[in-house]
Amino acid sequence: MTDHPHADDDLIERDGVIKRHGPEAFEGMRKAGHLAASTLDMLVDFVKPGVTTQEIDDRVRRYFLEHGAVPATLFYKGYTKSSCTSLNHVVCHGIPNDKPLKEGDILNIDVTCRLDGWHGDTSRMFTVGEVRRKAERLIEVTYESLMRGLAEVKPGNTFGDIGAAIQEYAESQRCSVVRDFCGHGIGRLFHDAPNVLHFGDRGTGDRLEEGMIFTVEPMLNDGKPFVKVLNDGWTAVTRDKSLSAQFEHTVGVTETGVEIFTLSPAGYHCPPWR
């Protein structure tokens, strides 16, 4: 393991080709995905009013290091944190800070570990105390949109089938799908081909084949889909200040369907945790 999470990335060719992985890669991704999901499980009882997102980030970093992994986001393109913490109207890439969480907040925590050269990437929504039904419903619709997208993952289907399933359900529930960000290929590289859109038309795009590994990570807004990136160069927020939610899984295409590498070992799939 190297001290710098990206020191070996330059040795892997980025050729824009969608990779087909074998059993060794799937085993590596299972372990990395399990660690990433376990990290989010560890935070369930910790996220509450008064806690800061910097304290969450510190816990993520320690947990990864204690389990022989490194945070893939740390030093990635100049990013200086071990997680992304996106609060309320922040769509993604929120930077942890010292501002305390308050009752009624909703929070996406996005973590990626690099374990034995393989990346486990996942994000999940957290509720801070009691939240409004409007916020809870957005979270539920976003989670269901992700799972409907993943239900389309099997050989012979297309990436467009994934995006269409997400968009169809989200818009039927009067939520909008963010277009500015997408899922991505992953494995020994943090970000690889293909781009995985969360909207689109059925039957379009590349066909899914056994051995492909990628993330699906829809971002849904309670208002319009438009976002802007703040001056820090990372934080993306809704232009209309509406609430935003996101869930993310890392998955692999199997002979018969999909393997989700980042399922919660504790069953903490979607809040409120029951």
Side-chain angles (χ1 to χ4, degrees), residues 178-221:
V178 172
R179 264 67 164 179
D180 299 64
F181 302 97
C182 61
H184 52 89
I186 192 170
R188 289 198 174 275
L189 283 175
F190 188 0
H191 294 96
D192 203 358
N195 290 333
V196 182
L197 304 182
H198 305 119
F199 60 94
D201 298 317
R202 292 183 180 273
T204 64
D206 289 296
R207 293 213 169 270
L208 301 172
E209 296 181 17
E210 182 181 359
M212 291 179 175
I213 295 175
F214 50 86
T215 71
V216 183
E217 46 186 296
M219 287 147 266
L220 268 57
N221 295 345

Side-chain angles (χ1 to χ4, degrees), residues 19 21 25-26 29 184-186 211-215 250-252 261:
K19 296 176 177 60
H21 300 271
F26 269 62
M29 293 299 289
H184 52 89
I186 192 170
M212 291 179 175
I213 295 175
F214 50 86
T215 71
T250 297
V251 304
F261 299 122

Side-chain angles (χ1 to χ4, degrees), residues 40 44-45 124-127 247 267-274:
L40 295 182
V44 166
D45 291 330
R124 199 182 301 167
M125 294 302 296
F126 290 74
T127 53
F247 284 88
Y268 294 138
H269 303 301
C270 179
W273 321 114
R274 296 189 179 97

